[in-house]
Amino acid sequence: MKKLIKTLKKSTATAKLGLIITAIWIFCAIFAPLLAPYGPNEVNTSKRFIPPIFAEKGTNEHILGTDEMGRDVLTRIIYGSRISLIVGIMAVVVSLILGTTLGLLAGYYGGWVDSIIMRIVDVMLSFPFIFMALVLMAVLGSGLTNVIVVIGITGWVPYARTVRAQTLSLKEREFITASDTIGCNDMRIILKHILPNIIDSAIILGTLEMSSAILSEASLTFLGMGIPPSMATWGSMVASGREYIYTAWWITALPGLAIFLVCLAINFVGDWVRDVRDPRLRST
Amino acid sequence: MTNLNQRTILKVENLKTYFEIDKRFISRQKKYVYAVDDVSLDVKEGETLGIVGESGCGKSTLLHSIMRTVPVTSGRIEFDGKDVLSLNKKELRQVRKDKQIIFQDPFSSLDPRMTIGEIIEEPLIVHGVTDVAERRRRVLETFEYVELLEDFYYRYPHEFSGGQRQRVSIARSLVLKPKLILCDEPVSALDVSIQSQILNLLNDLQKQLDLTYIFVSHALNVIRHVSDRVCVMYLGKVLETADVEELFERPKHPYTAALLSSIPIPDPTVNRVHASIKGELPSPSNPPSGCRFHTRCPYVKDKCINEEPVLEEKSSSHIVACHFSDEIL
């Protein structure tokens, strides 16, 4: 714990900002029912399109205004953070594990293993994501778990490619030959020597991909194939506010801002993780 | 020095390691790089066999073939009474315990993510030393052998200089208490002042631990310093093998003679005659006919172009592959 505080103190300003935003985001997601002033689906038709407090005609009652059905935007953003957190983390974990495993196998063994995996990658890349995701969603049906599964299994390609490329270059390093000569088996070489040296770039990639996973969830929800409308998500808020963007910009802009801030923060945290993980930058 | 009573620890017979290149789809003609081409050699217990040659002559490939880290095309390698090439993965692991390699580049031979202690400990973990205290004791014992401080245990390779890293690398190969250590140019990436430290360390370790070395280098002065016997390689072939003093004083192959004449003598008054080698090293994928050296040999005759010379014993343990060695040198 002391070590963690020491590392935090030494981190850069952007890392601190990222960590603070991420912490707020996670806090909101966990304690949503306590923090939110209203219920996420509390409809009040007499209070539609109330602007946020800092705009003209804003009120104290609804700090960030209300949407086309009179639901409180702040409440829905707080509840939406739950979905984006779960989808972002879980989908990235699924595709990171899948992509890293396949990339390691392809890079380390080469030959026909590599050919098969890389041909699958080529096929995946030639399909538009949204088409593939829609087909899978149609087969599996909508729902939070299925959204995670679909985003997870359509998103492993960049991990596999990065990991494979890194594995190929690491394999030529002498310390890999050395581990072979001291008697390590393939499993040990992959897990103990290659994986620790490539996992950081997979994690950095994961943070970048987390924002795209959040956006993918929004796209699927917008198209009606993602999260059911009974759950408040940032994606569905952006989508439903689209029609009123000229008269009530806050309905789309504020959840959009939430997506932006969270994605930015995740990227800052990703950079910080990389710095902390690199032994060359670690203090002795 | 070698004598007949010593046991042969490693016996290499007709070893060939070819690398396939240029797989053309249409012609289907396979081309090879003849990295190691029909090499035979013996290594006696406790000696240091030096292998010297130009870059690209196959000396590193020879070491890696003996270690079986590259696929061998044909031949026989007998180490400590076992036929190394016929072993399966599991048996190979056991044999490799007694046969370790030190790499040329200490900057790429250590895993940057592991501490010095972990690096040296790993061979013990892999070979089933489960007792943590025992492992630590053996690692620290090895630290002492290579003169590393105990504090280095928890530090990372990037914090060290080339010489210290090479000590770590040596420690890793020592910790399993091997019989044979293959040194693949272990000092060529280091400063001259550090080179001598490492060479002396290797010498001391040999005496202390009864090690046998095969020492590959392109630096003749290094070879002369460490070796008991020397083997001169050229384009995948052995041209000459002899005891170190014999080879340096009375070379019997024109290539060896030319190599030796290129060693600088630190005395400006000595008038030196360069037995120069003309031209470039021919491509190992398309080696010259007859004697491999004929394209660059100053004494070349017709016989050299047409007929490949075999290794012949000229005097006790001095073996040369040259048709005219008696006449020339």
Side-chain angles (χ1 to χ4, degrees), chain B residues 1-272:
Chain B
M1 284 290 141
T2 51
N3 67 55
L4 293 170
N5 302 329
Q6 274 173 312
R7 207 165 65 91
T8 300
I9 187 163
L10 178 80
K11 199 175 178 64
V12 176
E13 281 167 10
N14 307 98
L15 184 76
K16 292 178 185 158
T17 303
Y18 300 163
F19 297 112
E20 205 174 299
I21 49 161
D22 193 34
K23 269 189 266 183
R24 274 204 198 123
F25 183 64
I26 298 185
S27 71
R28 292 203 175 254
Q29 216 175 15
K30 281 181 182 170
K31 277 189 141 188
Y32 295 97
V33 172
Y34 302 94
V36 175
D37 198 2
D38 209 359
V39 167
S40 301
L41 47 89
D42 287 348
V43 183
K44 303 263 187 326
E45 204 161 36
E47 75 167 345
T48 301
L49 176 70
I51 297 178
V52 71
E54 284 172 81
S55 307
C57 72
K59 43 193 200 304
S60 287
T61 310
L62 176 63
L63 281 198
H64 283 278
S65 305
I66 294 171
M67 206 60 208
R68 255 188 83 179
T69 44
V70 294
V72 171
T73 312
S74 72
R76 197 180 143 78
I77 299 171
E78 201 181 297
F79 171 69
D80 214 11
K82 292 178 207 88
D83 180 3
V84 175
L85 294 178
S86 69
L87 300 175
N88 64 28
K89 272 192 165 183
K90 216 174 158 188
E91 293 164 331
L92 181 66
R93 198 165 299 144
Q94 280 309 310
V95 170
R96 277 180 175 170
K97 212 173 134 177
D98 291 332
K99 189 174 65 172
Q100 286 293 314
I101 187 162
I102 301 170
F103 294 92
Q104 174 176 5
D105 182 2
F107 290 90
S108 89
S109 61
L110 305 175
D111 188 338
R113 294 264 168 211
M114 291 173 109
T115 64
I116 304 301
E118 285 169 344
I119 289 171
I120 299 174
E121 190 184 11
E122 192 176 26
L124 296 172
I125 300 174
V126 172
H127 285 282
V129 182
T130 43
D131 182 18
V132 180
E134 163 75 5
R135 281 208 300 259
R136 199 181 156 93
R137 190 188 63 72
R138 282 180 66 175
V139 170
L140 291 178
E141 179 192 59
T142 318
F143 266 41
E144 240 166 74
Y145 282 137
V146 298
E147 293 152 29
L148 284 174
L149 300 175
E150 207 180 313
D151 319 350
F152 293 174
Y153 198 93
Y154 295 107
R155 294 175 56 185
Y156 286 88
H158 67 90
E159 298 170 45
F160 294 99
S161 65
Q164 281 171 315
R165 281 162 162 250
Q166 202 58 299
R167 282 173 198 271
V168 175
S169 188
I170 293 169
R172 174 178 55 194
S173 55
L174 279 180
V175 72
L176 289 171
K177 303 195 188 300
K179 295 174 185 155
L180 175 68
I181 294 190
L182 310 174
C183 309
D184 186 4
E185 310 220 19
V187 296
S188 59
L190 307 175
D191 287 348
V192 177
S193 56
I194 309 294
Q195 284 192 3
S196 60
Q197 284 179 20
I198 296 292
L199 292 177
N200 290 335
L201 174 69
L202 287 171
N203 252 335
D204 294 345
L205 289 170
Q206 182 167 39
K207 281 178 209 137
Q208 252 178 300
L209 305 168
D210 297 320
L211 297 170
T212 309
Y213 290 138
I214 300 182
F215 196 100
V216 159
S217 182
H218 59 258
L220 289 156
N221 51 352
V222 171
I223 286 290
R224 186 170 194 168
H225 182 74
V226 297
S227 312
D228 297 317
R229 277 194 311 138
V230 179
C231 195
V232 178
M233 278 184 79
Y234 184 79
L235 275 181
K237 294 259 185 201
V238 173
L239 297 187
E240 183 168 9
T241 305
D243 289 346
V244 64
E245 286 312 314
E246 167 83 6
L247 186 106
F248 276 80
E249 297 304 325
R250 285 175 296 280
K252 287 212 182 326
H253 196 285
Y255 178 62
T256 317
L259 278 185
L260 295 180
S261 77
S262 70
I263 303 175
I265 302 165
D267 181 357
T269 60
V270 175
N271 207 354
R272 280 147 38 84

